[in-house]
Amino acid sequence: MHWATILIIAGLCRASLGQYNEEEDLAWLQYYMRQSRMSSYNYMPYYEDENTPYVYSYLPAPDTEPEPGPEPQQAPSWQCPQECDCPPNFSSAMYCDTRNLRYLPFVPSRMKYVYFQNNRITAIQEGAFDNATELEWLALHNNQISSEKMGKKVFAKLKSLERLYMNNNNLTKVPSPLPRTLRELHLSYNQISKVPSNALEGLENLTALYLSHNYIFEMGASLKALKSLILADLSYNHLRKVPDGLPMALEQLYLEYNYINTIPDDYFKVSPKLLYVRMSHNGLTNQGLSTNTFNSSSILELDLSYNRLQKIPRVSTNLENLYLQGNQINEFSISSFCTVVDVMNYSRLQVLRLDGNEIKRNAVPPDAPLCLRRATIIEI
């Protein structure tokens, strides 16, 4: 009877452990979503004097019966650094955020999701993540990390990394090499001035690239080879021309607050899925645009506000939202929206903003209501 009881308890333990392993990622996701609702990113970094280099030191394992063979040099896989929290109900996540850290603690090999944001970290030592090669999410934003104090191949062994957050640091260049598995790269609010054409080479799985609020004056053809890229945010930079070539899969392109004044012919047509284009606060003129620059049937929203346009550029009849406020437009040309105006041919435009221009209300042609029959907001 005694042995039967032991066997039943052992069986229940195995079943419980099996269930724990299967539900580990789901529990982590639920916890992360709760944390996300309670807090948001703080983009204000700390600035301190140069930190003293940190040398990794691993806590010894608790007293156990000695085993033959050499003593291990790394911490056991279950261990959690004393500076961090590793919730027991999802052991693949490690939280080291907002703890005034000046160094990167040891990352156990079982970790998949690691959070170091909102600290004072200035350097990433070579080999810092070599023990945790299964990392999928790595959050390093809101620190003081500089490109000069990063190991040359610090991310090279992370063969499963999908999301890398390094926004709001002191980076002067894009980290390289990066894992081919990467899907999101967050580098906004840094000091990057140039993105060479090969800086993002091999990132064929990348879907979102965030490079806003830097000092980038040249992109080259760095976007062209990103076959899966859906979103590119290059706003608030020093670009004087658009990147050389866009990916075919691109859906969202943000280029507002730059110094762009010309766009090549058929520039947007190489991206047949492009939906949203934002180019406000640039130096665009009608002389720098071809007749059909923005006449792309896929684009649904186009923001050209606060440029130097004198005429309404021609757009596709599929366009739904057009923002042209704050330009120098002095005429309302219905041909910009409809080449033919009749019962069957009309624009799908819903929002049109022309306020802050030189155009007058009485300049609207009489056939405008027929062409713009779906418009619910027209501001002049």
Side-chain angles (χ1 to χ4, degrees):
M1 183 68 178
H2 175 72
W3 285 107
T5 303
I6 292 175
L7 290 174
I8 292 171
I9 293 173
L12 290 173
C13 289
R14 284 195 298 270
S16 178
L17 287 173
Q19 184 180 9
Y20 168 80
N21 290 332
E22 292 172 1
E23 297 180 354
E24 180 178 306
D25 289 342
L26 179 59
W28 170 85
L29 181 59
Q30 292 171 342
Y31 179 89
Y32 176 74
M33 294 301 292
R34 288 197 299 271
Q35 292 297 106
S36 298
R37 286 193 291 268
M38 290 188 289
S39 61
S40 58
Y41 288 166
N42 175 15
Y43 286 109
M44 295 301 295
Y46 298 99
Y47 290 97
E48 291 291 331
D49 295 332
E50 184 175 342
N51 299 335
T52 305
Y54 175 72
V55 179
Y56 290 138
S57 60
Y58 306 135
L59 297 175
D63 293 335
T64 56
E65 185 177 348
E67 297 181 2
E71 187 175 345
Q73 298 299 311
Q74 293 184 344
S77 61
W78 49 262
Q79 190 171 348
C80 183
Q82 60 183 356
E83 305 92 339
C84 309
D85 290 329
C86 304
N89 58 331
F90 46 97
S91 60
S92 60
M94 185 171 83
Y95 295 88
C96 312
D97 55 301
T98 320
R99 293 158 201 259
N100 210 28
L101 295 179
R102 297 173 179 267
Y103 57 86
L104 284 173
F106 168 78
V107 182
S109 60
R110 72 177 185 274
M111 294 303 170
K112 294 182 179 180
Y113 317 99
V114 179
Y115 302 90
F116 292 115
Q117 71 268 25
N118 304 326
N119 283 295
R120 300 184 183 183
I121 300 167
T122 61
I124 304 178
Q125 299 87 339
E126 192 73 74
F129 306 112
D130 284 3
N131 184 63
T133 57
E134 298 302 316
L135 281 178
E136 295 180 13
W137 288 34
L138 178 56
L140 291 160
H141 51 285
N142 296 343
N143 279 286
Q144 302 170 23
I145 301 168
S146 63
S147 298
E148 294 74 20
K149 294 183 180 180
M150 284 182 58
K152 293 183 178 180
K153 297 183 179 180
V154 70
F155 303 119
K157 294 185 179 180
L158 301 180
K159 303 301 183 183
S160 300
L161 192 65
E162 294 185 359
R163 292 172 175 84
L164 176 60
Y165 298 85
M166 294 197 72
N167 38 302
N168 211 334
N169 276 284
N170 297 328
L171 299 178
T172 54
K173 59 183 180 180
V174 176
S176 182
L178 292 168
R180 293 176 177 268
T181 53
L182 206 61
R183 297 178 61 84
E184 289 186 15
L185 179 57
H186 298 255
L187 295 173
S188 298
Y189 293 90
N190 276 285
Q191 301 170 19
I192 300 169
S193 60
K194 186 178 180 180
V195 182
S197 294
N198 62 346
L200 303 170
E201 191 174 19
L203 300 183
E204 296 185 356
N205 294 306
L206 194 69
T207 60
L209 175 64
Y210 298 90
L211 279 167
S212 69
H213 294 86
N214 277 281
Y215 302 96
I216 301 171
F217 66 90
E218 184 178 344
M219 285 292 297
S222 55
L223 300 182
K224 194 172 184 178
L226 302 177
K227 297 180 179 180
S228 301
L229 193 67
I230 294 175
L231 184 153
D233 187 355
L234 306 173
S235 58
Y236 293 88
N237 277 289
H238 293 173
L239 292 172
R240 295 191 175 276
K241 65 175 187 175
V242 290
D244 296 336
L246 297 178
M248 289 187 63
L250 194 66
E251 296 180 7
Q252 302 177 51
L253 178 63
Y254 305 136
L255 287 165
E256 61 264 39
Y257 288 92
N258 278 284
Y259 301 94
I260 300 168
N261 53 29
T262 61
I263 301 176
D265 294 348
D266 299 328
Y267 179 72
F268 298 107
K269 291 186 177 180
V270 298
S271 302
K273 298 180 180 179
L274 192 59
L275 299 174
Y276 307 101
V277 177
R278 296 179 183 171
M279 298 193 69
S280 67
H281 296 88
N282 276 279
L284 292 174
T285 64
N286 291 97
Q287 290 73 29
L289 305 176
S290 69
T291 305
N292 289 306
T293 298
F294 298 109
N295 190 13
S296 175
S297 60
S298 65
I299 299 177
L300 297 181
E301 180 176 293
L302 178 61
D303 188 353
L304 300 175
S305 58
Y306 301 99
N307 279 279
R308 299 204 302 268
L309 299 173
Q310 295 179 320
K311 296 181 180 180
I312 300 173
R314 186 177 178 183
V315 295
S316 168
T317 54
N318 291 326
L319 188 69
E320 295 181 356
N321 301 294
L322 177 59
Y323 304 96
L324 289 167
Q325 68 270 24
N327 278 278
Q328 302 169 11
I329 299 171
N330 54 24
E331 64 178 52
F332 193 114
S333 52
I334 201 66
S335 60
S336 298
F337 309 101
C338 301
T339 53
V340 177
V341 181
D342 57 31
V343 176
M344 299 300 296
N345 296 282
Y346 56 90
S347 171
R348 275 72 176 173
L349 202 66
Q350 298 175 17
V351 176
L352 173 61
R353 289 197 57 182
L354 286 165
D355 45 309
N357 282 279
E358 299 175 10
I359 194 169
K360 298 179 180 179
R361 288 182 177 272
N362 58 10
V364 179
D367 54 351
L370 187 58
C371 170
L372 303 175
R373 69 186 68 174
R374 286 196 174 182
T376 55
I377 297 176
I378 298 179
E379 295 188 13
I380 299 177

